[in-house]
Amino acid sequence: RLGNSLDDGLMEGFFGILKREMFYGQGHKYKDLNEIEQAIHKYIDYYNNVRIKTGRKNMTPIEYRNHVLTTLTA
């Protein structure tokens, strides 16, 4: 059914975090859409490669994915 995909929850969660950490109360930092686009690209790189999460054994998403893949193939 349209609008009931299980994947929607994961992306909505990510976009909620992105908005909370980048925009709420900080809208004045961006002068135009180009600056916002660059900031979003930087944030996605930060989120995937730097930002750790305790639920992922203190790993970044990329580290955790690689850990799981090596565990599955071992």
Side-chain angles (χ1 to χ4, degrees):
R1 296 180 313 212
L2 184 62
N4 291 327
S5 171
L6 296 175
D7 295 335
D8 287 350
L10 296 173
M11 288 310 300
E12 287 186 25
F14 169 76
F15 284 118
I17 292 169
L18 180 131
K19 289 188 288 186
R20 184 175 59 242
E21 293 184 358
M22 282 189 65
F23 296 113
Y24 294 144
Q26 303 176 47
H28 62 280
K29 291 189 340 184
Y30 309 107
K31 295 180 181 128
D32 57 23
L33 289 177
N34 198 21
E35 280 190 18
I36 293 172
E37 183 178 356
Q38 290 174 358
I40 289 172
H41 285 285
K42 286 181 184 178
Y43 181 81
I44 290 172
D45 182 61
Y46 160 77
Y47 187 90
N48 285 326
N49 297 303
V50 178
R51 187 178 187 271
I52 63 170
K53 185 156 175 135
T54 56
R56 289 188 222 109
K57 302 179 183 179
N58 292 324
M59 297 181 193
T60 67
I62 299 291
E63 291 171 337
Y64 188 72
R65 182 191 66 193
N66 291 336
H67 169 73
V68 169
L69 290 175
T70 56
T71 305
L72 293 174
T73 58

